[in-house]
Amino acid sequence: MSTTILLVDDHRIVREGLRTLLGQQPDLEVVGEAADGREAVTQARLLRPDVIVMDIAMPELNGVEATRLVLAELPQVRVVALSMYADRRFVAEILRAGALGYVLKDGAFEELALAIRTITAGKTSLSPSI
């Protein structure tokens, strides 16, 4: 059985690249995408993914607030932040909101795939540089 994933990032090329890379993993399945935090909340309600890969800085509603809203309604969903920000404030904020992982965008794809598998098991996963 595959882990279902919702990709949330305001950059279309990032979503498309992640969809392609994740699609090559036999145990991971992208079931939807969202371009902002509000759309992420709507898609999470509709699709009920196992994992959300959540960007932090987005229009409409940022990833921290979107994470809070999703997890208040769907506490079984696991969230991994995917961000270019290594600042401890961003990391602390999204972890307080309920995310179990934080991966930097300048890392390798394998780091994200490992984080998804780790948080699916209920464990925390942080980029090594965090």
Side-chain angles (χ1 to χ4, degrees), residues 44-108:
R45 286 179 183 139
L46 178 69
L47 300 170
R48 301 198 181 263
D50 299 314
V51 173
I52 299 175
V53 176
M54 182 80 73
D55 188 14
I56 290 181
M58 294 182 292
E60 298 296 319
L61 186 69
N62 70 44
V64 173
E65 292 305 317
T67 296
R68 280 192 186 104
L69 291 172
V70 167
L71 294 179
E73 191 173 326
L74 304 166
Q76 76 281 5
V77 173
R78 307 283 193 225
V79 175
V80 59
L82 180 62
S83 179
M84 63 183 197
Y85 300 110
D87 188 297
R88 290 166 47 186
R89 290 174 299 162
F90 291 107
V91 177
E93 266 190 86
I94 197 140
L95 292 178
R96 273 195 299 273
L100 290 178
Y102 197 101
V103 176
L104 293 173
K105 285 184 176 178
D106 66 357

Side-chain angles (χ1 to χ4, degrees), residues 2-129:
S2 293
T3 298
T4 59
I5 301 167
L6 172 62
L7 298 175
V8 182
D9 196 291
D10 58 328
H11 295 99
R12 181 177 170 190
I13 195 166
V14 171
R15 294 191 315 271
E16 288 175 355
L18 289 175
R19 178 180 282 277
T20 299
L21 290 169
L22 290 166
Q24 296 171 0
Q25 304 298 304
D27 59 330
L28 304 176
E29 177 188 4
V30 176
V31 293
E33 298 179 17
D36 62 55
R38 290 200 196 288
E39 188 180 0
V41 174
T42 301
Q43 289 298 312
R45 286 179 183 139
L46 178 69
L47 300 170
R48 301 198 181 263
D50 299 314
V51 173
I52 299 175
V53 176
M54 182 80 73
D55 188 14
I56 290 181
M58 294 182 292
E60 298 296 319
L61 186 69
N62 70 44
V64 173
E65 292 305 317
T67 296
R68 280 192 186 104
L69 291 172
V70 167
L71 294 179
E73 191 173 326
L74 304 166
Q76 76 281 5
V77 173
R78 307 283 193 225
V79 175
V80 59
L82 180 62
S83 179
M84 63 183 197
Y85 300 110
D87 188 297
R88 290 166 47 186
R89 290 174 299 162
F90 291 107
V91 177
E93 266 190 86
I94 197 140
L95 292 178
R96 273 195 299 273
L100 290 178
Y102 197 101
V103 176
L104 293 173
K105 285 184 176 178
D106 66 357
F109 168 73
E110 290 76 20
E111 192 177 326
L112 176 62
L114 177 61
I116 291 169
R117 292 180 179 109
T118 301
I119 69 167
T120 299
K123 299 175 185 173
T124 303
S125 180
L126 303 174
S127 282
S129 59

